C-alpha cells in the first residue's frame, strides 16, 4: 500500500532559455545540443497581460506587445511573458514562460498611505508567508517529506501543531475558515448559484492590504484552483501580485509540458511558482508584505508523490532562510487535509490521517 517515492526529474535537462534577475538569456549551448541545432535563429517575447485593478473573468488574459527579435538576451520590464523562438524563415520552434516582479507605483502609493494610518499602532513590522500544499497529512509528511520537516523543526525551531485537524471535506471549505474566519457555508451567496465571484468576501489578504502591506496570491494547477474549480474565482486579482494569468497561459500550451504534467520543459511547475514567490519576497524583504501560495498538482492524487515535493521545498526554504529573506517573516507551512483517495483511505490510519494535515509555524529571531 505504501510505495517508495521517487525524485522528480523533468524529461528535459537543459532549457533553451533561462532567466537571471530581470533578463532572459538564450542558452545556445543547449540549443546546439538539441534537435533545434542549426534551425533556431532568434526569439521574441509577448506580454501576458491582465490588469490587476480591473474587473475581468477569472481566466482572462491576453498576449500583447510582441517584442523585437533577440539573439542573446533581453531585459524584461513586465511581470509575465511568453517567449517564442523561430527559424530563419519565421517558423515557430520553441515556447517558454517566465515571471518577474517589478515595483508597481500605484501599489507603492497605496501601501505608503495605508501604512501611515497605522504607523503609531505597532512597533514591529512582521511579514507573513503562508505556503500550503494539498493533501498531506502530518504522518505522511514524516514519511515522504522528512528532510523538509527536519530542516524547519531542527534548524529553525518550527512549531509543529500536533493534532491540527481539518474542519470540512476538501480544500475550499478548509481554506475559507483559515483565510476568511468563517465556515464556507457562512459566506453570503445565492444558493441557486454555484458561487458568485469571490471579490466581495473579506479574506486575510484584504486585511493586510488595508494596513499597508503588498499582497501576493499564487497557485499551481489552474484547472482546480481552490476558488476556481466549479466556482467563479476572482474578477479582480486578490493580490497585487497574482500568477493566474501566467498559470492559465502555460496550461493552455500543451506542448511545453512533460513528466506527467509536472514540468514545463526543464523546470517543475512547483519551482516556477516558488521562483515567483521568491522574487516577490526578495524584492520586498525590507517592506511590509503578505503572501499566500497554494500547490495541488504534485501531491493531490497519490500518497507517495509527496516524496517528489521534499527536495523542492527543502531547497526553497534553505534558499530563503540562508539569504535572510525571511528574517522579518512569520512562515506558515501547512496542508488542508490528508489524502482523500486510494487504498490508504480504507484503513483506520488512513481515515485518521485524512483528518490530520500538517501545520508548521516558524517565527523570526526577533520574536522572543
Amino acid at each position: 500500500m505504501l510505495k517508495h517515492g521517487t525524485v522528480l526529474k523533468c524529461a528535459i535537462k537543459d532549457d533553451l532559455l533561462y532567466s537571471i534577475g530581470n533578463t532572459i538569456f538564450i542558452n545556445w549551448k543547449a540549443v546546439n545540443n538539441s534537435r533545434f541545432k542549426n534551425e533556431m535563429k532568434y526569439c521574441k517575447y509577448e506580454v501576458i497581460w491582465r490588469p490587476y485593478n480591473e474587473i475581468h473573468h477569472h481566466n482572462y488574459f491576453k498576449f500583447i506587445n510582441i517584442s523585437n527579435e533577440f539573439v542573446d538576451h533581453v531585459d524584461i520590464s513586465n511581470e509575465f511573458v511568453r517567449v517564442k523562438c523561430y527559424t530563419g524563415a519565421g517558423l515557430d520552434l520553441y515556447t517558454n514562460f517566465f515571471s518577474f516582479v517589478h515595483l508597481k507605483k500605484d501599489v507603492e502609493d497605496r501601501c505608503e498611505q495605508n501604512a501611515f494610518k497605522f504607523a503609531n499602532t505597532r512597533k514591529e513590522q512582521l511579514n507573513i508567508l503562508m505556503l500550503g500544499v494539498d493533501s498531506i497529512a502530518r504522518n505522511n509528511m514524516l514519511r515522504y517529506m522528512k528532510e523538509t520537516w527536519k530542516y524547519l523543526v531542527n534548524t529553525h525551531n518550527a512549531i509543529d501543531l500536533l493534532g491540527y485537524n481539518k474542519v470540512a471535506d476538501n480544500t475550499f471549505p478548509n481554506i475559507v475558515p483559515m483565510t476568511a474566519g468563517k465556515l464556507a457555508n457562512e459566506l453570503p451567496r445565492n444558493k441557486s448559484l454555484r458561487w458568485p465571484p469571490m471579490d466581495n468576501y473579506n479574506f486575510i489578504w484584504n486585511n493586510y492590504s488595508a494596513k499597508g502591506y503588498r499582497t501576493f496570491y499564487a497557485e499551481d494547477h489552474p484547472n482546480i484552483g481552490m476558488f476556481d474549480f466549479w466556482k467563479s474565482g476572482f474578477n479582480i486579482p486578490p493580490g497585487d501580485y497574482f500568477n493566474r494569468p501566467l498559470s492559465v497561459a502555460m496550461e493552455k500550451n500543451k506542448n511545453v509540458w512533460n513528466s506527467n504534467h509536472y514540468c514545463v520543459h526543464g523546470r517543475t511547475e512547483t519551482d516556477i511558482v516558488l521562483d515567483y514567490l521568491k522574487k516577490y519576497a526578495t524584492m520586498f524583504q525590507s517592506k511590509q508584505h503578505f503572501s499566500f501560495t497554494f500547490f495541488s498538482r504534485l501531491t493531490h492524487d497519490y500518497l507517495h508523490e509527496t516524496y517528489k515535493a521534499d527536495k523542492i521545498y527543502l531547497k526553497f526554504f534553505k534558499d530563503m532562510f540562508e539569504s535572510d529573506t525571511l528574517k522579518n517573516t512569520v512562515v506558515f507551512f501547512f496542508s488542508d487535509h490528508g489524502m482523500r483517495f486510494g487504498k490508504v483511505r480504507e484503513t483506520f490510519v488512513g481515515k485518521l490521517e485524512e483528518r490530520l494535515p500538517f501545520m508548521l509555524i516558524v517565527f523570526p529571531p526577533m520574536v522572543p
Side-chain angles (χ1 to χ4, degrees):
M1 184 178 299
L2 293 178
K3 298 181 180 180
H4 290 292
T6 57
V7 174
L8 175 55
K9 294 182 179 180
C10 297
I12 296 173
K13 182 179 179 182
D14 296 315
D15 276 314
L16 306 190
L17 300 169
Y18 64 95
S19 68
I20 299 176
N22 293 324
T23 304
I24 295 173
F25 296 85
I26 299 176
N27 184 352
W28 283 111
K29 181 178 179 181
V31 173
N32 291 330
N33 289 328
S34 75
R35 59 192 175 95
F36 301 127
K37 180 181 180 181
N38 299 325
E39 290 188 87
M40 192 171 122
K41 301 300 181 182
Y42 65 89
C43 302
K44 297 181 180 182
Y45 73 85
E46 297 170 280
V47 177
I48 302 169
W49 182 79
R50 171 179 171 169
Y52 65 91
N53 54 0
E54 294 180 10
I55 296 174
H56 287 283
H57 184 271
H58 65 132
N59 287 330
Y60 174 85
F61 75 91
K62 64 180 180 179
F63 296 109
I64 62 171
N65 300 342
I66 189 166
S67 73
N68 295 325
E69 300 172 6
F70 67 95
V71 296
D72 182 68
H73 68 275
V74 63
D75 295 328
I76 305 295
S77 59
N78 306 99
E79 194 166 5
F80 307 121
V81 297
R82 176 179 69 178
V83 184
K84 288 189 172 185
C85 299
Y86 301 87
T87 67
L91 296 177
D92 179 0
L93 288 177
Y94 175 87
T95 301
N96 213 331
F97 297 84
F98 295 90
S99 62
F100 303 91
V101 172
H102 302 282
L103 289 176
K104 299 177 179 180
K105 185 179 184 306
D106 54 342
V107 171
E108 294 304 302
D109 290 345
R110 185 206 72 219
C111 289
E112 184 177 345
Q113 292 170 5
N114 288 349
F116 181 77
K117 298 176 186 177
F118 297 93
N120 296 322
T121 64
R122 55 196 175 185
K123 295 180 180 179
E124 302 293 348
Q125 309 295 329
L126 291 175
N127 304 315
I128 303 295
L129 185 150
M130 299 181 69
L131 200 165
V133 190
D134 207 334
S135 303
I136 302 180
R138 180 181 180 274
N139 272 7
N140 206 42
M141 186 182 200
L142 295 177
R143 287 189 199 105
Y144 291 120
M145 285 184 69
K146 61 181 68 176
E147 296 305 317
T148 303
W149 185 90
K150 286 192 294 187
Y151 176 73
L152 292 176
V153 171
N154 296 337
T155 305
H156 294 285
N157 301 312
I159 299 171
D160 186 2
L161 296 191
L162 305 178
Y164 176 70
N165 63 278
K166 70 174 195 171
V167 297
D169 189 25
N170 55 9
T171 302
F172 178 74
N174 281 296
I175 297 301
V176 165
M178 177 187 291
T179 57
K182 295 181 178 181
L183 295 175
N185 60 15
E186 293 178 316
L187 296 181
R189 66 184 176 113
N190 184 335
K191 297 297 177 66
S192 66
L193 303 174
R194 287 179 183 168
W195 280 93
M198 299 290 164
D199 307 279
N200 293 327
Y201 300 133
N202 188 38
F203 291 102
I204 188 171
W205 41 84
N206 304 123
N207 297 333
Y208 276 96
S209 177
K211 293 197 174 182
Y213 280 65
R214 296 134 195 91
T215 56
F216 174 104
Y217 185 102
E219 291 186 78
D220 67 346
H221 205 335
N223 293 341
I224 62 168
M226 73 179 79
F227 296 109
D228 301 277
F229 183 62
W230 292 103
K231 303 175 189 70
S232 301
F234 294 94
N235 286 349
I236 298 175
D240 302 316
Y241 296 84
F242 179 51
N243 81 320
R244 188 166 180 83
L246 174 72
S247 188
V248 174
M250 289 195 305
E251 194 72 20
K252 287 178 177 291
N253 194 318
K254 305 303 181 185
N255 295 328
V256 302
W257 295 88
N258 64 77
S259 304
N260 199 31
H261 214 88
Y262 290 155
C263 296
V264 175
H265 294 302
R267 298 176 294 162
T268 71
E269 180 188 25
T270 306
D271 278 320
I272 290 171
V273 180
L274 287 175
D275 181 62
Y276 181 49
L277 173 59
K278 189 183 299 183
K279 289 174 179 175
Y280 168 82
T282 302
M283 169 71 78
F284 298 113
Q285 180 178 343
S286 61
K287 297 183 177 183
Q288 298 169 41
H289 65 272
F290 169 93
S291 64
F292 182 92
T293 313
F294 197 82
F295 294 90
S296 296
R297 178 129 36 205
L298 201 55
T299 60
H300 183 270
D301 293 340
Y302 301 101
L303 202 69
H304 62 282
E305 293 290 68
T306 299
Y307 185 81
K308 287 181 167 57
D310 195 17
K311 288 184 68 174
I312 295 173
Y313 290 107
L314 177 62
K315 182 180 185 305
F316 169 76
F317 282 119
K318 279 189 172 182
D319 289 347
M320 294 286 274
F321 279 110
E322 291 175 7
S323 64
D324 278 341
T325 303
L326 299 176
K327 66 180 180 181
N328 300 320
T329 301
V330 182
V331 175
F332 296 85
F333 187 41
F334 62 92
S335 189
D336 49 353
H337 50 73
M339 182 55 62
R340 299 172 55 237
F341 310 99
K343 289 289 186 181
V344 70
R345 281 293 284 110
E346 298 175 9
T347 68
F348 178 72
V349 170
K351 184 177 181 180
L352 289 177
E353 288 190 10
E354 192 259 346
R355 289 156 171 77
L356 295 167
F358 78 89
M359 168 71 84
L360 297 174
I361 306 173
V362 181
F363 288 96
M366 68 166 62
V367 177

